[in-house]
Amino acid sequence: MNTLNTPDTNSLRPSVLHNRSFLRLWIARIFSTSAFQMLSVAIGWQMYALTGSAYQLGLVGLAQFLPMLLLTLPAGQTADRYDRRTIVFLCQLTESLVVLLLVIGSIEGWLSAVHLLAAAAILGACRTFESPASAALVPDIVDREQLPKAAAWSASAMQTAMIVGPSLGGVLVVWGTAAAYIASLAALLVSTVLIFFVKTVHFVKKLDAVSMDTFLSGLRFVFARKIILGTISLDLFAVLLGGATALLPIFAEDILKTGSLGLGLLRSAPAVGAIIVSLILTRYSVERAIGRMLFASLVVFALATMLFGISHSFWLSLFALVLIGGSDVVSVVIRSTLVQVNTPQEMQGRVNAVNSLFIGTSNQLGEFESGTMAGLVGAVPATVIGGLGTLLITVLWMYRFFPVLRTQKTYTAEEN
């Protein structure tokens, strides 16, 4: 049965973009994510220019991941006890100050690898608090039945930013990393202003005492529900092993010979595929075959990763990256919707913090893994091995560890 052949019945409802607060949040995410994509390009390019080391590229991801590992549980507790809009606002203000220092350091010429790692760590800490608060903010401002559409639109915002951010970052670093940092700062400030004007309507403040039990409640909730655990752990290990994007500076400079402009295009390519698929998902539903769509997307992700690894053609590499982005966004929409639909309102912050930890592990720790593997065996073998690992994980999750996920059809899990 074709699961994408009819419009979702909820499409007859007014679009979530008619909700002014959601629209502001949606636009803010485009600006803030664009800023971080530009920062990722600029910091990676500057780090490789300063050190010429794949290991140092991997350390940038590790510097972002370690604060997330340490602060995820407190971040979730904070998002459930305090106004989520205020948390996002303060985090983005702090991020703006860090980027301002990067601007000054680049202009004056005193930035070193240590400074870049420190900036990555502080930005990672801020994002650790911002991400669960931002994700939990969506159910605070839209009705429950609109959450699947909100998730799809949120994914489209992220992917729009991942087209604009890397390509703009690649162009700007031609004129120097300071130009990319200045553009990132401007985008962050716009996002901060938009967040200030978001209004929440559904937030349920958590008033019980802070304790180790409340810190761990988000973890217990996730591990008690096989559908949620299977989905986010599948994404964690699949992207952890298949994270080729961390190696793009090496591919752009040493293999494809495209320079910084080519790097920006390569970084944008996954988002091109992702935004096409996410816009389709805002119109058509996959709810009759969530499990099958999830596993199919991971198979495509793995095969496309291997294709990218063996390609020595710039255009074939772009095509492979488009496939990677398009397949990955299916997992993003399914995972985020499952979490939001099956989580009580008063626990959204803690559960989304756990989800953010899984995402951060797959992305930032995946960058460290990719950089380390590339340093040991080379960028091409590391990418191919990563794709094979993703394929193996997909098969194990489908038939050995979480077979119930394979037959899941709707966003509402029966175990809830």
Side-chain angles (χ1 to χ4, degrees):
M1 179 175 61
N2 185 355
T3 60
L4 291 175
N5 59 356
T6 57
D8 187 358
T9 56
N10 285 336
S11 64
L12 299 177
R13 299 178 182 274
S15 169
V16 292
L17 295 184
H18 287 103
N19 181 322
R20 290 187 179 182
S21 286
F22 181 78
L23 180 60
R24 291 183 184 116
L25 177 62
W26 186 73
I27 297 173
R29 283 181 169 177
I30 293 177
F31 277 95
S32 64
T33 306
S34 295
F36 276 92
Q37 291 302 310
M38 285 188 281
L39 285 171
S40 180
V41 171
I43 291 175
W45 186 260
Q46 193 167 27
M47 178 65 80
Y48 195 60
L50 287 172
T51 66
S53 169
Y55 291 108
Q56 291 288 342
L57 277 178
L59 286 177
V60 173
L62 184 63
Q64 293 176 319
F65 169 72
L66 288 179
M68 180 176 295
L69 180 64
L70 297 173
L71 299 173
T72 288
L73 295 180
Q77 184 69 224
T78 301
D80 281 336
R81 295 185 65 86
Y82 302 101
D83 180 63
R84 292 158 182 165
R85 180 193 62 86
T86 302
I87 294 170
V88 177
F89 177 78
L90 293 176
C91 286
Q92 292 191 355
L93 274 182
T94 305
E95 292 156 8
S96 298
L97 290 175
V98 173
V99 179
L100 178 60
L101 291 175
L102 288 175
V103 171
I104 296 172
S106 291
I107 292 175
E108 295 185 352
W110 50 259
L111 278 183
S112 67
V114 173
H115 293 125
L116 294 176
L117 290 176
I122 298 171
L123 291 171
C126 291
R127 294 288 281 180
T128 300
F129 281 89
E130 180 186 342
S131 293
S134 179
L137 194 55
V138 175
D140 286 352
I141 59 181
V142 304
D143 296 331
R144 187 177 182 87
E145 61 270 16
Q146 290 187 307
L147 285 176
K149 295 301 184 195
W153 277 112
S154 296
S156 74
M158 298 287 287
Q159 305 311 326
T160 298
M162 294 180 72
I163 294 173
V164 174
S167 56
L168 185 57
V171 170
L172 290 173
V173 295
V174 173
W175 286 279
T177 53
Y181 292 142
I182 290 171
S184 300
L185 177 60
L188 274 173
L189 291 175
V190 170
S191 178
T192 303
V193 172
L194 288 168
I195 290 296
F196 181 80
F197 290 103
V198 168
K199 296 181 180 180
T200 60
V201 293
H202 300 303
F203 177 57
V204 178
K205 189 174 182 178
K206 191 72 176 174
L207 296 175
D208 59 332
V210 176
S211 65
M212 184 57 67
D213 182 69
T214 58
F215 275 134
L216 299 177
S217 57
L219 282 171
R220 286 200 304 270
F221 183 91
V222 169
F223 278 87
R225 286 154 178 80
K226 291 184 178 180
I227 293 298
I228 296 179
L229 177 62
T231 302
I232 64 177
S233 61
L234 174 63
D235 181 77
L236 185 158
F237 289 106
V239 179
L240 174 66
L241 295 173
T245 54
L247 304 179
L248 288 182
I250 299 176
F251 277 91
E253 184 73 9
D254 300 334
I255 298 173
L256 300 174
K257 309 293 185 181
T258 63
S260 61
L261 182 58
L263 173 63
L265 293 174
L266 291 172
R267 287 297 301 262
S268 299
V272 171
I275 194 171
I276 292 172
V277 174
S278 62
L279 289 175
I280 292 173
L281 293 176
T282 66
R283 177 66 178 168
Y284 295 95
S285 174
V286 298
E287 194 163 352
R288 289 192 291 269
I290 286 176
R292 286 187 299 168
M293 291 293 293
L294 181 63
F295 285 113
S297 69
L298 264 296
V299 170
V300 174
F301 181 88
L303 295 176
T305 298
M306 289 186 281
L307 176 62
F308 174 76
I310 63 175
S311 170
H312 283 74
S313 163
F314 178 71
W315 297 109
L316 182 59
S317 297
L318 282 178
F319 174 71
L321 289 170
V322 168
L323 290 179
I324 288 173
S327 56
D328 184 52
V329 80
V330 176
S331 172
V332 170
V333 171
I334 291 175
R335 183 183 65 248
S336 59
T337 305
L338 274 170
V339 170
Q340 291 174 348
V341 169
N342 294 284
T343 302
Q345 191 70 20
E346 68 274 10
M347 288 191 64
Q348 286 280 341
R350 280 165 288 176
V351 173
N352 275 290
V354 176
N355 191 29
S356 295
L357 176 61
F358 277 69
I359 295 171
T361 300
S362 63
N363 292 334
Q364 277 74 51
L365 194 58
E367 291 181 11
F368 176 67
E369 179 273 334
S370 297
T372 301
M373 182 66 72
L376 292 173
V377 301
V380 171
T383 303
V384 174
I385 292 170
L388 288 171
T390 297
L391 200 59
L392 176 61
I393 290 294
T394 302
V395 173
L396 288 174
W397 258 239
M398 187 186 301
Y399 294 106
R400 178 67 179 88
F401 297 124
F402 295 95
V404 65
L405 186 58
R406 190 177 70 249
T407 58
Q408 183 70 19
K409 295 181 179 180
T410 66
Y411 285 118
T412 302
E414 293 181 2
E415 59 193 345
N416 294 330

